[in-house]
Amino acid sequence: MAQKRPFNEGKRHFKKNKKQKSTVNDGSNEEVLLADVRRLLQDTRISEGEEKEKQLPEQWSEIELDISELSSTGDGLAEKDGQVYVVPFAAPGDTITAKVVRHVQDESYTITDFLSVKTASHHRTETPRCPYFTQCSGCQFQHLPYSYQLAHKRGIVEKAYANFSSLPSSAVPEVGDTIGSPLQYGYRTKLTPHFDAPPGARRDKRQGLKVKWEEVPPIGYMKKGTRKTMDIEECPIGTEAVQQGLKRERVRVHKEIDNYQRGATLLLRESTERVKKGEADADATAKDGESGVVIEDRGEYVHRKTCITDSKATSTEYVDDFRFDNPAGAFFQNNNSILPLVTQYIRDNILAPVSPSPDQSNGDSTAVKPKIKNMIDAYSGSGFFTITLSQMFSNSIGIDIAAQSIASANNNAKLNNLLPDSTKFIASDANDLFSAVDPSKFKPEETAVVIDPPRKGCDQNFIRQLLAYGPERVCYVSCNVHTQARDVGWLVGGLEDEEGKALEGLYEIESLRGFDFFPQTSHVEGVAVLRKKGSSGVGDDVRAKEQALKVEADGPEVGADEVDGIKVEAKSEGTGTDGVGAAR
């Protein structure tokens, strides 16, 4: 999987970029927040009529605010006299005392700092486990029940497609319930706390002098809304092994601080050794209580979990029975507990739904097998999806721009006993991806493509290539549902080619769902399954029958079959055909 999200987001809200802004939506926090602010202002003006004359409070003054909703960035929103106030660590129904930080007058919103809760919302039911909550920038939702977090994240996916896909609502199916993480705390297998250089360090280095540390600096993460690093002694979303590693690294840095000539980012990465029960090593590890080793009972195996701090060392993760070895500093998804749910969901949905055979009318229960035989994994990284899905396909190919990732992927394929003639990895730029694919072996009508890009999503050149190749099915996994919505909008509704001519979209959205990779935060991973227009499956037959009954009862619905030139179908009313129930 490609490098994606940094852990902390401590930058002051939305520092203006001096570069000319692109016309393409970039899915940034600023853009996402602005969409929510504009909608709230529009709703307020519609309900209240004429716009009020605004008297904005002075910077750094305190203000009392009634929170009406949560934004997709995880901040509370409050409207007061035609201005929207953005308040972190809030809940709808709260009355909050906040400090005014900055007015964005041309967009009618104000950034604030959270000070205290005057009246608590009925949603505010949880006691945060972290002593730094409301100060550290890492988590936003520790005060909210998990069921509420999952429902909110479903709304994030819905708003992403409403705001960024440029598709009519009739082209976007009902978003499924968010799949929850089995672990809501203690799930992060990687943390990267940091510390800053002392004042004058740059000057000393320029003069050839050794940097002087008057004291040990704070070691941790950014304080919300500032560029200051907070000292963090514990992080409850980290796994037990990682938290033990944090304590050891803090002690080490305190002892060795004079050896550093600049600030540094520390690596804390969990690694797992799997030992079969009954073997001598398993019996020994279960008894010795070795410092820094966390023992987990996993049925017929014992897992010995340790924390690696050397970025070049090898870390090992197990997802179900698949093993993945990677450089500890390389990207691998940071919530191991939810990965089996994600891979199973994709297995259940990546192939076309099995259609009944004509013989079923005679009582024969046989079904036509899906015709998809091949998989292409774009942005494959170290081979996570290629390897976990490979058993479903005759031929699988993973493609990534990074040679190191491809080396790890090839090694992981060997570790999992995958045959090289059916599962391959090649290094190639995703923007020239399909030139590396043999079309005679990977026929588009027999191929599914998995896309798992970084937060910025796919660029238009890649989308044009994908449309030119035209695989039968596409599974788009994304850590930024807003850029995912933009890209899916192009795949469905089309975009311009390099000469400015209209390029028609080939796909329709079969299903949309969020996965909660990062509980207690506003992040949600999106999985969109697309099929070529004109393809059909069991779900289509069910919807067609429902629509026929509706027409029979109510008469034909005018204009229901086409919107803006895009053929659409009636939304499924929660038929639950995607095979995975939401964890609540």
Side-chain angles (χ1 to χ4, degrees):
M1 301 169 87
Q3 178 68 41
K4 297 187 178 76
R5 51 173 82 77
F7 172 66
N8 85 62
E9 296 179 340
K11 296 180 181 179
R12 178 168 290 281
H13 266 285
F14 320 137
K15 188 174 181 181
K16 289 187 177 180
N17 191 343
K18 294 181 180 179
K19 296 180 181 179
Q20 185 176 0
K21 188 169 180 63
S22 169
T23 57
V24 176
N25 296 328
D26 60 7
S28 66
N29 267 16
E30 179 179 17
E31 195 171 40
V32 171
L33 176 63
L34 189 55
D36 285 343
V37 167
R38 287 173 173 170
R39 181 192 46 77
L40 179 56
L41 286 170
Q42 182 181 23
D43 292 346
T44 302
R45 287 165 185 162
I46 290 173
S47 63
E48 296 183 1
E50 294 183 7
E51 187 173 349
K52 302 174 183 177
E53 185 176 345
K54 287 185 288 190
Q55 194 93 26
L56 297 180
E58 292 184 3
Q59 188 180 31
W60 311 124
S61 64
E62 295 185 9
I63 186 172
E64 191 174 293
L65 299 166
D66 295 324
I67 306 301
S68 60
E69 63 180 78
L70 286 179
S71 72
S72 293
T73 61
D75 298 306
L77 300 181
E79 186 276 331
K80 189 179 181 71
D81 299 330
Q83 185 83 354
V84 173
Y85 292 83
V86 182
V87 187
F89 313 114
D94 277 343
T95 299
I96 298 289
T97 302
K99 181 186 291 184
V100 173
V101 174
R102 180 168 61 90
H103 297 300
V104 183
Q105 295 194 32
D106 56 342
E107 292 292 352
S108 297
Y109 73 88
T110 297
I111 301 300
T112 73
D113 279 344
F114 172 93
L115 293 179
S116 64
V117 179
K118 183 176 181 181
T119 304
S121 162
H122 68 278
H123 298 302
R124 186 181 283 272
T125 62
E126 304 301 303
T127 301
R129 297 190 189 181
C130 179
Y132 310 104
F133 185 67
T134 73
Q135 299 177 67
C136 175
S137 59
C139 294
Q140 296 82 47
F141 293 157
Q142 290 192 22
H143 58 303
L144 297 173
Y146 194 50
S147 59
Y148 187 89
Q149 294 183 37
L150 295 179
H152 174 66
K153 292 182 181 187
R154 179 184 182 187
I156 292 176
V157 179
E158 291 172 338
K159 288 195 292 182
Y161 277 79
N163 293 336
F164 295 98
S165 72
S166 300
L167 294 173
S169 60
S170 51
V172 181
E174 182 179 1
V175 176
D177 290 338
T178 309
I179 303 295
S181 171
L183 298 176
Q184 287 93 59
Y185 285 92
Y187 63 82
R188 258 196 100 99
T189 56
K190 178 185 177 183
L191 293 176
T192 53
H194 66 273
F195 60 89
D196 301 319
R202 289 186 179 180
R203 180 199 61 224
D204 290 345
K205 289 188 67 177
R206 285 196 301 267
Q207 296 176 358
L209 301 175
K210 185 176 181 180
V211 173
K212 295 180 180 179
W213 300 85
E214 300 295 335
E215 60 183 359
V216 177
I219 304 169
Y221 310 113
M222 291 291 191
K223 185 175 182 180
K224 179 69 174 178
T226 75
R227 297 293 295 168
K228 296 179 180 178
T229 302
M230 288 184 61
D231 196 52
I232 303 288
E233 295 186 3
E234 60 179 304
C235 182
I237 63 173
T239 65
E240 185 178 349
V242 165
Q243 292 200 63
Q244 289 188 19
L246 174 60
K247 293 177 181 177
R248 292 194 301 273
E249 279 296 277
R250 287 177 58 85
V251 171
R252 182 189 64 78
V253 171
H254 275 247
K255 291 179 178 178
E256 301 176 3
I257 190 63
D258 289 332
N259 296 334
Y260 286 90
Q261 294 299 294
R262 59 173 67 88
T265 297
L266 308 177
L267 172 66
L268 306 169
R269 165 69 83 178
E270 182 179 275
S271 184
T272 301
E273 178 188 3
R274 173 182 275 192
V275 185
K276 196 172 184 65
K277 285 183 179 176
E279 295 181 0
D281 288 346
D283 295 336
T285 56
K287 296 175 182 177
D288 65 7
E290 179 184 349
S291 177
V293 178
V294 176
I295 304 298
E296 290 186 0
D297 189 325
R298 294 294 187 95
E300 60 180 310
Y301 294 99
V302 168
H303 281 190
R304 300 178 76 254
K305 293 183 177 289
T306 56
C307 182
I308 294 176
T309 58
D310 179 359
S311 63
K312 296 180 181 179
T314 299
S315 66
T316 298
E317 299 232 22
Y318 288 89
V319 180
D320 291 325
D321 289 325
F322 295 99
R323 173 177 169 175
F324 295 92
D325 285 7
N326 295 291
F331 180 81
F332 194 81
Q333 203 48 263
N334 295 331
N335 181 351
N336 185 287
S337 74
I338 198 171
L339 296 182
L341 300 180
V342 177
T343 53
Q344 188 57 51
Y345 178 84
I346 295 175
R347 289 188 198 103
D348 291 341
N349 289 274
I350 193 170
L351 301 180
V354 178
S355 301
S357 71
D359 294 335
Q360 280 191 304
S361 59
N362 299 323
D364 188 343
S365 61
T366 61
V368 177
K369 292 183 179 181
K371 62 181 179 180
I372 306 298
K373 301 176 182 178
N374 311 308
M375 178 185 67
I376 299 172
D377 181 8
Y379 309 94
S380 66
S382 59
F384 175 68
F385 284 124
T386 317
I387 290 169
T388 56
L389 304 176
S390 62
Q391 295 170 345
M392 301 179 65
F393 302 95
S394 301
N395 300 291
S396 301
I397 185 168
I399 305 175
D400 198 274
I401 190 173
Q404 182 191 62
S405 295
I406 294 302
S408 295
N410 281 317
N411 180 58
N412 288 329
K414 292 178 182 177
L415 289 173
N416 291 284
N417 300 313
L418 299 181
L419 299 177
D421 58 342
S422 60
T423 305
K424 293 183 173 66
F425 294 92
I426 57 175
S428 177
D429 189 344
N431 292 319
D432 195 30
L433 180 143
F434 295 105
S435 65
V437 176
D438 181 356
S440 64
K441 189 172 184 179
F442 287 80
K443 296 178 180 178
E445 65 274 15
E446 297 178 348
T447 300
V449 171
V450 175
I451 307 172
D452 182 28
R455 288 189 62 81
K456 67 179 181 180
C458 307
D459 67 17
Q460 291 180 325
N461 184 41
F462 175 84
I463 298 295
R464 293 184 190 109
Q465 287 186 70
L466 184 59
L467 289 172
Y469 176 64
E472 188 69 16
R473 295 178 67 80
V474 175
C475 178
Y476 191 144
V477 182
S478 176
C479 62
N480 186 338
V481 293
H482 308 94
T483 52
Q484 181 195 58
R486 176 202 66 200
D487 297 346
V488 168
W490 287 333
L491 291 169
V492 173
L495 73 167
E496 292 183 346
D497 65 15
E498 293 176 340
E499 297 178 354
K501 298 178 182 178
L503 186 63
E504 185 179 354
L506 295 182
Y507 296 92
E508 56 192 4
I509 307 171
E510 186 170 281
S511 63
L512 280 174
R513 190 182 288 272
F515 285 78
D516 191 18
F517 277 50
F518 297 92
Q520 319 309 329
T521 80
S522 61
H523 293 293
V524 59
E525 199 97 357
V527 179
V529 178
L530 312 181
R531 62 179 173 227
K532 256 190 172 176
K533 293 177 182 178
S535 300
S536 64
V538 173
D540 301 292
D541 296 336
V542 171
R543 284 188 287 271
K545 290 178 181 178
E546 289 176 348
Q547 185 63 19
L549 290 172
K550 175 177 173 59
V551 170
E552 209 172 277
D554 302 332
E557 185 177 350
V558 178
D561 60 344
E562 190 165 316
V563 177
D564 295 336
I566 300 174
K567 290 183 179 180
V568 298
E569 58 191 20
K571 285 187 181 179
S572 168
E573 294 297 325
T575 53
T577 57
D578 48 21
V580 177
R584 294 184 180 274

